[in-house]
Amino acid sequence: MLKKLSAQAGTLLIGAIALVFIFGSLTVLDLGTPRRMGPGAFPLIAGGILVILAAVAFVGDMKDRAEHQKVDWRAVVPIVLAVGSFALVTPRFGVLPGAGVCVLIASFAVDALSPLRRAGFVLGAVFGVWLVFIFGLRLPLEAFRGF
């Protein structure tokens, strides 16, 4: 039973982290309104989606009797560094440089990307962040700090 639960530890961890985001958004942050979302709306929505996905994945793994898999550190390390870099870069330089650095570092989790594709991926993601969050949703984010 313990070995079986260890196979689903990642799924349970994602669900637990999502619950922390939901709790924090409901207790600390302002949710705003549907037309003008506050800073707590995104963690609430993302956390809710993650809880649902974690529950579906957990039930599916229990039915399929998923086996314990080795951790792919080549993928985990760039993703962790990408999230940390976003947290460090965004307050100092703005959301678009933060998103660009985050996507650039996260792209090293994939082996098959050429430098040209990696640059295109970063530029596309930065444009997508600007299009959705700044232009589309008109969230009060600083695209470039100081500009």
Side-chain angles (χ1 to χ4, degrees):
M1 181 68 180
L2 186 61
K3 187 174 181 177
K4 191 174 185 178
L5 281 178
S6 71
Q8 283 80 32
T11 304
L12 294 173
L13 181 64
I14 289 172
I17 291 171
L19 289 174
V20 169
F21 274 91
I22 290 171
F23 180 76
S25 67
L26 290 174
T27 58
V28 177
L29 300 173
D30 178 27
L31 295 178
T33 63
R35 291 187 56 89
R36 186 75 174 165
M37 291 190 295
F42 181 75
L44 179 66
I45 294 169
I49 291 171
L50 277 178
V51 165
I52 292 169
L53 291 176
V56 169
F58 183 77
V59 170
D61 286 350
M62 294 301 280
K63 282 184 179 177
D64 294 340
R65 299 182 184 271
E67 296 293 323
H68 182 74
Q69 297 179 353
K70 289 178 62 178
V71 175
D72 183 9
W73 292 107
R74 175 135 173 50
V76 171
V77 170
I79 298 300
V80 170
L81 291 175
V83 172
S85 69
F86 183 79
L88 291 173
V89 171
T90 299
R92 290 175 180 85
F93 301 105
V95 71
L96 295 182
V101 169
C102 177
V103 171
L104 177 65
I105 293 173
S107 71
F108 285 100
V110 178
D111 286 335
L113 287 178
S114 67
L116 187 60
R117 282 185 157 189
R118 201 176 305 272
F121 191 57
V122 169
L123 290 175
V126 168
F127 178 71
V129 167
W130 175 82
L131 186 66
V132 171
F133 294 106
I134 295 174
F135 181 74
L137 296 174
R138 300 190 188 283
L139 293 179
L141 300 172
E142 255 185 303
F144 294 97
R145 191 167 181 105
F147 292 100

